[in-house]
Amino acid sequence: MSAIATAAALSLPFTLCRSSKFTTKRGVRGGFGVFAIYGDEGGLGDKKSPWGTLFDVEDPRAKVPQHKGKFVDVNQALEVARYDIQYLDWRARQDLLTIIFLHDKVVDVLNPLAREYKSIGTVKKELAELQEELAQAHKQVHISEARVGAAVDKLAYMEELVNDRLLQDRNTTESDSTSLSPSTSTNTLDTVKRKIPRKSLNVSGPVQSYHPRLKNFWYPVAFSADLKDDTMVPIDCFEEPWVIFRGKDGKPGCVRNTCAHRACPLDLGSINEGRIQCPYHGWEYSTDGTCEKMPSTKFVNVKIKALPCFEQEGMIWIWPGNDPPTPSIPSLQPPAGFTIHAEIVMDLPVEHGLLLDNLLDLAHAPFTHTSTFAKGWSVPSLVKFLTPASGLQGYWDPYPIDMEFRPPCIVLSTIGISKPGKLEGQNTQQCSTHLHQLHVCLPSSRQKTRLLYRMSLDFAPVLQYIPFMQYLWRHFAEKVLNEDLRLVVGQQERMINGANVWNWPVSYDKLGVRYRLWRDAVEKGAKQLPFMNAK
């Protein structure tokens, strides 16, 4: 009985203690609350200690003797006693380990140096993880760029196929398709398709008189800086002579350059108090065409034709058409950050459509401009003009040049350069410096174009203050244009003799083809003009 009593007393810590709601790492239920701190809340199990081997003792609770509620003999009582001793030893070790861990934690909290050392280690670990994540993100970005580039190229290729299909002779296609037997092989079909003649644009023969519908647009005709209070600017527009001058209020006016009296050119005269004076008999006209003075004779009411004339952002605009002018005029200002360096006006002996064809084409540069801006350019294996499905603007590949045709006769381009004459990068955004160009091709007559050229830079602003720099820019512009003119004049001669200058358009002719299709639609009176939906 004494053995039984001793065993019962020794087994009190386990048999009489209520189980705790906390758990240890092994998942065995126990009766000591501090194990929750050790196992779950305090995170002490991860703590490294030089005393680790001392506390590396197996938990004896998994081997508890199953004698509860029974009378036991001496051997069983000794087994229970041995278990209780093992349990008390294990629990004492765990209590001591918990105290050591809690002591170390207090030291970490109270010791700034320990905290700093720990934070540096944590930061290094986090930095390494962030660097790895950043490398993965860069990898994903490169993959996405490659996919986007492939998609853009595929889209451009598909658009080329659509454009080529629009230029094909559908009637020929249908007739050839119906003549093929069902057993025709795929190779045979491809061969037939390649042999189908394409429907080209027909731009041949003598230049016809301009259609009146082409006049119903605002046309830039002069730079404001060239129109002083006491000067006149004579122009030809759609084969009619006009003269521009400033009235008494300083606003510009455009009147027919023909005196009502004896048809003398008014631009040979002078400006007198805001009126243009004929040099023949001194008749004077205001900006609305009204004759206000008739020296040496009785005054009669006379008026010559005047066009709506407006000044905006450094340019003079006129409306030569018979329809009422639109209330707004498009802006031709260079982009933000650019400074205007040169404004040049030239009269060129070519029809304005041929000049626009030339300006809207960049693939000719390494062959034509070998002594000017394209000197040293390599010839790429493929030149593409990438543009929306419905639009008159886009960018060239592989040249870093953005380009836009703006109706009715304007070409805007932005060229990415590292220094004048040298290209870099793959697109304009990747270039550090840029050249912005404005070309206005005013249709003077069927074989004459008034070209307004404006050049702007987003670098080297000091150049605009160098004396005579304007003459240097003009010399360079004339040199570039002369390289084109010898070719375009030759085109014009052959066109007049019947040759078609748009006989076989290819993929890099896309923007020029769209200009011709737009112009044809205007002259035919189409209600909805093509390529005008994209912004």
Side-chain angles (χ1 to χ4, degrees):
M1 291 297 294
S2 62
I4 296 174
T6 303
L10 291 174
S11 63
L12 280 174
F14 180 76
T15 58
L16 300 180
C17 183
R18 297 181 63 185
S19 62
S20 172
K21 64 180 179 180
F22 302 108
T23 59
T24 63
K25 277 190 170 182
R26 292 179 181 268
V28 180
R29 306 181 69 84
F32 195 49
V34 77
F35 294 144
I37 300 177
Y38 164 70
D40 297 330
E41 299 179 23
L44 299 176
D46 296 332
K47 181 73 176 179
K48 299 298 182 181
S49 172
W51 304 93
T53 56
L54 180 63
F55 302 102
D56 189 15
V57 177
E58 184 180 1
D59 187 350
R61 288 177 296 178
K63 301 178 181 179
V64 55
Q66 303 298 323
H67 303 303
K68 185 176 180 180
K70 295 181 180 181
F71 290 99
V72 295
D73 59 14
V74 176
N75 292 329
Q76 291 173 335
L78 290 176
E79 181 183 359
V80 172
R82 187 177 70 250
Y83 162 75
D84 286 343
I85 292 172
Q86 291 176 353
Y87 170 77
L88 292 174
D89 175 73
W90 174 81
R91 192 180 68 179
R93 292 171 188 264
Q94 296 301 315
D95 292 345
L96 181 59
L97 179 61
T98 302
I99 292 171
I100 293 174
F101 286 165
L102 292 176
H103 175 267
D104 292 341
K105 190 170 184 179
V106 171
V107 171
D108 288 344
V109 173
L110 297 179
N111 189 343
L113 294 178
R115 287 202 313 272
E116 183 178 357
Y117 176 79
K118 182 178 180 181
S119 64
I120 292 175
T122 303
V123 169
K124 287 183 178 179
K125 183 178 179 181
E126 293 178 351
L127 181 60
E129 293 175 352
L130 289 174
Q131 288 176 338
E132 184 178 355
E133 292 178 3
L134 184 61
Q136 292 294 330
H138 277 300
K139 184 178 179 180
Q140 291 298 325
V141 168
H142 292 316
I143 293 174
S144 299
E145 288 179 348
R147 289 175 177 173
V148 170
V152 170
D153 291 341
K154 186 176 181 180
L155 181 63
Y157 174 72
M158 293 177 67
E159 187 181 359
E160 290 174 10
L161 294 179
V162 172
N163 290 338
D164 290 344
R165 185 175 181 180
L166 291 175
L167 293 175
Q168 289 177 357
D169 190 345
R170 296 181 179 179
N171 295 330
T172 306
T173 304
E174 293 175 358
S175 61
D176 288 345
S177 298
T178 55
S179 64
L180 293 174
S181 62
S183 61
T184 304
S185 65
T186 304
N187 293 333
T188 305
L189 284 173
D190 293 339
T191 304
V192 172
K193 288 181 180 178
R194 285 195 296 268
K195 291 181 179 180
I196 293 175
R198 303 199 307 175
K199 182 181 179 182
S200 62
L201 294 169
N202 186 12
V203 183
S204 61
V207 182
Q208 303 298 316
S209 297
Y210 290 105
H211 198 283
R213 294 192 185 96
L214 200 60
K215 300 179 182 181
N216 292 316
F217 294 91
W218 282 107
Y219 283 85
V221 293
F223 293 112
S224 297
D226 296 333
L227 188 62
K228 309 299 182 183
D229 290 339
D230 58 348
T231 60
M232 296 169 287
V233 176
I235 64 168
D236 289 332
C237 183
F238 292 105
E239 301 187 281
E240 293 185 271
W242 305 92
V243 61
I244 303 169
F245 64 100
R246 294 188 183 276
K248 295 179 181 178
D249 56 0
K251 295 181 179 180
C254 179
V255 300
R256 189 184 297 275
N257 192 10
T258 304
C259 181
H261 180 212
R262 301 281 292 275
C264 179
L266 293 176
D267 69 291
L268 300 178
S270 59
I271 301 298
N272 181 26
E273 298 180 349
R275 297 184 296 270
I276 188 169
Q277 185 183 70
C278 178
Y280 209 170
H281 298 94
W283 288 23
E284 296 183 9
Y285 300 89
S286 62
T287 54
D288 65 353
T290 302
C291 182
E292 296 184 348
K293 271 193 174 184
M294 293 181 182
S296 309
T297 187
K298 182 180 178 180
F299 182 81
V300 293
N301 291 328
V302 174
K303 190 174 184 178
I304 58 177
K305 185 176 180 179
L307 296 178
C309 187
F310 196 81
E311 184 173 19
Q312 176 179 284
E313 297 175 344
M315 302 195 78
I316 311 297
W317 300 69
I318 65 170
W319 182 276
N322 294 323
D323 290 354
T326 57
S328 60
I329 295 177
S331 175
L332 297 183
Q333 282 288 87
F338 283 79
T339 302
I340 297 174
H341 283 256
E343 292 181 335
I344 302 169
V345 180
M346 287 179 279
D347 290 316
L348 306 177
V350 293
E351 192 266 336
H352 89 289
L354 291 177
L355 185 58
L356 282 171
D357 292 340
N358 174 265
L359 294 172
L360 295 172
D361 168 35
L362 196 63
H364 73 279
F367 304 98
T368 304
H369 301 288
T370 54
S371 62
T372 54
F373 70 89
K375 185 176 182 180
W377 283 19
S378 60
V379 180
S381 58
L382 180 64
V383 176
K384 297 181 290 184
F385 184 77
L386 304 177
T387 177
S390 178
L392 295 169
Q393 71 287 330
Y395 64 94
W396 290 92
D397 182 17
Y399 304 123
I401 299 178
D402 298 338
M403 185 172 287
E404 174 187 359
F405 168 70
R406 186 170 297 179
C409 62
I410 301 164
V411 178
L412 300 169
S413 59
T414 300
I415 304 173
I417 56 177
S418 58
K419 59 183 180 179
K422 183 179 180 181
L423 299 179
E424 68 172 15
Q426 296 180 351
N427 55 58
T428 55
Q429 287 75 22
Q430 293 176 329
C431 299
S432 57
T433 53
H434 304 83
L435 163 69
H436 181 75
Q437 296 185 111
L438 162 71
H439 291 87
V440 177
C441 301
L442 181 68
S444 298
S445 68
R446 283 177 282 184
Q447 296 184 34
K448 181 181 175 184
T449 300
R450 178 179 175 86
L451 175 66
L452 278 65
Y453 173 75
R454 174 189 280 169
M455 185 197 71
S456 305
L457 304 175
D458 65 353
F459 64 98
V462 70
L463 292 177
Q464 60 182 318
Y465 303 109
I466 298 178
F468 308 111
M469 196 67 190
Q470 181 83 2
Y471 299 101
L472 180 61
W473 290 129
R474 184 179 183 91
H475 170 73
F476 184 77
E478 289 178 344
K479 191 173 182 180
V480 173
L481 278 172
N482 284 334
E483 290 178 324
D484 286 316
L485 279 178
R486 64 188 183 90
L487 306 178
V488 179
V489 169
Q491 273 186 303
Q492 183 170 258
E493 292 175 353
R494 282 154 181 76
M495 180 185 72
I496 292 174
N497 292 328
N500 185 2
V501 298
W502 276 104
N503 191 52
W504 195 264
V506 294
S507 60
Y508 55 67
D509 294 322
K510 186 180 300 181
L511 194 54
V513 168
R514 290 190 177 187
Y515 155 66
R516 287 292 179 173
L517 295 176
W518 173 87
R519 181 172 168 178
D520 287 347
V522 171
E523 294 178 349
K524 292 176 181 177
K527 294 182 179 180
Q528 180 63 44
L529 297 179
F531 314 113
M532 299 299 290
N533 294 329
K535 300 295 183 183

